[in-house]
Amino acid sequence: MSENQTWVTEFILLGFSLNPKIQMFLFELFSLFYTFTLLGNGVILGLIWLDSRLHTPMYFFLSHLAIVDVSYASNNVPKMLANLLNKKKTISFIPCIMQTFLYMAFAHTECLILVIMSYDRYVAICHPLRYSVIMSWRVCIVQAVTSWACGSLLAMVHVVLLLRLPFCGPHEINHFFCEILSVLKLACADARLNQVVIFAASVFILVGPLCLVLVSYTRIRHLQIRQPGGVSTCSSHLCVVGLFFGSAIVMYMVPKSRHPEKQQKILSLFYSLFNPMLNPLIYSLRNAEVKGALRRVLWKERSM
């Protein structure tokens, strides 16, 4: 029987099964969102780079968050946009696996960076006199490197377990990118080990960080410290956390019988397209320092 199996060399991304007019509308809408994602995060990175007043741990981690958001969206969205226009919606096996690895690595890294940012706000608001000692540049660099390394290693574990499975058909992925749960459905072997590891990793990378974030802001609220900009920053951060962690937890920890595949695609849009676009808007519109940096940079350009 195994001799008659035909090994899959490419997959078909089914994406959104809609009529051509709606697909063209979605292409234009998602292209606009993707452009805003690149511009918004690019502006954040540029301001942090150009304005010395933003050379602080908070904006150091915010710059890493912007890099993650741009990379995350760029890994998934361009292929989705191309498939909205093309009738042939294929992706080769190796690029599909690479897309799976990258989106998981960036997602894991963002979870850890959000935790570090919440800890940074906790130290800044609750222990302001010790802030420069606790959040020294050496500590910040170690935290950032650790986040990227842990995110990549955890994604590598998932991919290694995925590659041990045979794929001999069918070859249609009911998603708009190579999302790991959708790819696992096409395996020709028992994938229960993969599912257990995904659930365990979700507890570690989603539930654990979310609890740490909530503990940090609970302590801030309990101490009732009102430093300039502290509440605004915290509320903005909680908006980001709620959107990102909420959609991911529902996606990977709620039993799949509770929500159909169309709903899974919509949830995926939240953490692959909408959240990277909203992050710079939330941080810039609610943050006086970022708006001040933008005015200073624009004033320098006019003066030159």
Side-chain angles (χ1 to χ4, degrees), residues 5 8 13 47 74 88 106 131 145 161 165 167 232 256 293:
Q5 290 179 342
V8 173
L13 296 170
L47 290 176
S74 298
K88 186 179 181 181
F106 294 137
Y131 179 75
V145 172
L161 291 176
L165 298 174
F167 290 89
S232 176
K256 294 301 170 285

Side-chain angles (χ1 to χ4, degrees), residues 52-89:
S52 59
R53 299 186 188 183
L54 299 184
H55 294 175
T56 63
M58 174 183 173
Y59 295 102
F60 172 74
F61 293 121
L62 182 56
S63 66
H64 280 269
L65 183 64
I67 293 172
V68 171
D69 285 338
V70 169
S71 303
Y72 193 88
S74 298
N75 180 54
N76 300 336
V77 177
K79 184 63 178 178
M80 178 183 67
L81 295 177
N83 288 341
L84 286 172
L85 296 180
N86 298 332
K87 292 184 179 180
K88 186 179 181 181
K89 304 178 180 181

Side-chain angles (χ1 to χ4, degrees), residues 259-280:
H259 46 88
E261 292 180 335
K262 289 184 179 180
Q263 187 176 343
Q264 294 180 36
K265 297 176 188 178
I266 295 174
L267 288 172
S268 297
L269 283 175
F270 271 99
Y271 60 81
S272 62
L273 181 61
F274 299 143
N275 199 66
M277 178 188 67
L278 291 175
N279 280 353

